[in-house]
Amino acid sequence: CQYCHEKIVGSILSSGKKFYHPRHFLCGGCNCPLNGKPFFEIEDQPYCVTCYNDQHGVKCAFCNEFITGEYITVLNKNWHPDHLRCCECNEPINSVIEEKDGKIYCHKDYQRLFGICCNKCNEPILSGGYITALDKPWHVDCFVCNICNKPFTESGFFEIDGFPYCEKHYEIASQCNFCKTKIVDNKKIKVGDLFYHPNHVFCTCCKKAIS
Ligand SMILES: [Zn+2]
Ligand SMILES: [Zn+2]
Ligand SMILES: [Zn+2]
Ligand SMILES: [Zn+2]
Ligand SMILES: [Zn+2]
Ligand SMILES: [Zn+2]
Ligand SMILES: [Zn+2]
Ligand SMILES: [Zn+2]
């Protein structure tokens, strides 16, 4: 027996490569009897769960309980996988973990708050491809003609006020929808997807100019 150094006759308990009388199978920390109880081994020495946790246990930063299974380490703290939550939406984070200023975010909220947003739909651009055009980021599916929402062909796109237009709709969008002449200076009024000279916006009902 590792404890009393007497020969063991009868039942033997072991921890690592060391053997004990069952009554001498004691916790290396608090000396409580461990016969029949759960224990942990540290360098062949058995320890009760409490003593083991005190020295080697991993506590969850959210619930303050010891973690027995898997855990995640973020910001030098350990977390139950279910207890690592986004500080914005409070949902458990199961994919990409983002950190900023000591706070933890899910990928979606991080992108929404700090990431890049699509110039058309204003939604965050998550992982995956995007297009940088007209000095702005766009979802691949969002970089389309501002009027017909169709992607551009070989003829390319034309810009009005930072938005792309196909050739056909550029013609329409760059002229006044009332007088059908080109709007040359930047003084134009946008109504829906169409443009007007400032003095060519009329109410459909009473035909009066709207200023
Ligand atoms: Zn003994
Ligand atoms: Zn103990
Ligand atoms: Zn926890
Ligand atoms: Zn979130
Ligand atoms: Zn978009
Ligand atoms: Zn178009
Ligand atoms: Zn006009
Ligand atoms: Zn009117």
Side-chain angles (χ1 to χ4, degrees):
C1 170
Q2 185 68 28
Y3 182 81
C4 66
H5 303 290
E6 304 278 330
K7 198 175 170 75
I8 303 171
V9 184
S11 52
I12 298 175
L13 290 179
S14 68
S15 172
K17 294 178 209 73
K18 294 181 179 160
F19 300 94
Y20 299 85
H21 291 109
R23 67 182 183 282
H24 287 155
F25 195 58
L26 306 175
C27 169
C30 66
N31 277 327
C32 70
L34 292 176
N35 185 11
K37 293 198 185 138
F39 66 94
F40 292 93
E41 285 174 19
I42 302 169
E43 292 167 357
D44 290 350
Q45 171 68 51
Y47 286 86
C48 72
V49 174
T50 311
C51 288
Y52 178 83
N53 279 338
D54 279 352
Q55 290 182 34
H56 297 272
V58 171
K59 264 190 177 179
C60 171
F62 176 78
C63 67
N64 220 24
E65 301 280 325
F66 284 106
I67 303 171
T68 48
E70 278 181 54
Y71 61 92
I72 301 169
T73 304
V74 184
L75 298 170
N76 294 321
K77 291 175 189 160
N78 302 305
W79 314 76
H80 285 114
D82 298 2
H83 284 162
L84 183 71
R85 289 174 188 237
C86 168
C87 69
E88 275 292 312
C89 65
N90 207 29
E91 292 291 317
I93 304 172
N94 39 32
S95 54
V96 183
I97 300 157
E98 305 279 6
E99 306 163 18
K100 189 175 167 68
D101 301 332
K103 289 180 172 175
I104 296 168
Y105 298 87
C106 68
H107 190 53
K108 194 163 183 205
D109 281 319
Y110 183 85
Q111 288 288 0
R112 183 174 59 79
L113 294 164
F114 314 112
I116 45 174
C117 286
C118 170
N119 195 44
K120 186 173 175 80
C121 67
N122 285 321
E123 291 290 316
I125 295 172
L126 303 174
S127 49
Y130 66 93
I131 292 172
T132 303
L134 306 171
D135 295 328
K136 298 272 167 54
W138 312 74
H139 289 115
V140 175
D141 292 345
C142 287
F143 191 70
V144 291
C145 170
N146 207 28
I147 291 180
C148 64
N149 287 319
K150 286 186 182 141
F152 302 109
T153 56
E154 308 83 65
S155 51
F157 63 89
F158 302 86
E159 182 206 341
I160 301 172
D161 293 341
F163 284 91
Y165 292 82
C166 70
E167 196 170 10
K168 181 175 147 210
H169 289 118
Y170 175 76
E171 288 302 317
I172 293 169
S174 59
Q175 68 183 16
C176 171
N177 190 45
F178 177 77
C179 67
K180 305 293 180 195
T181 60
K182 213 165 172 64
I183 306 173
V184 281
D185 55 18
N186 277 328
K187 290 199 185 100
K188 55 185 161 188
I189 308 288
K190 189 169 186 273
V191 182
D193 288 324
L194 299 170
F195 294 86
Y196 297 83
H197 287 112
N199 55 341
H200 282 161
V201 188
F202 299 99
C203 171
T204 312
C205 304
C206 65
K207 317 284 189 243
K208 280 185 183 154
I210 301 166
S211 59

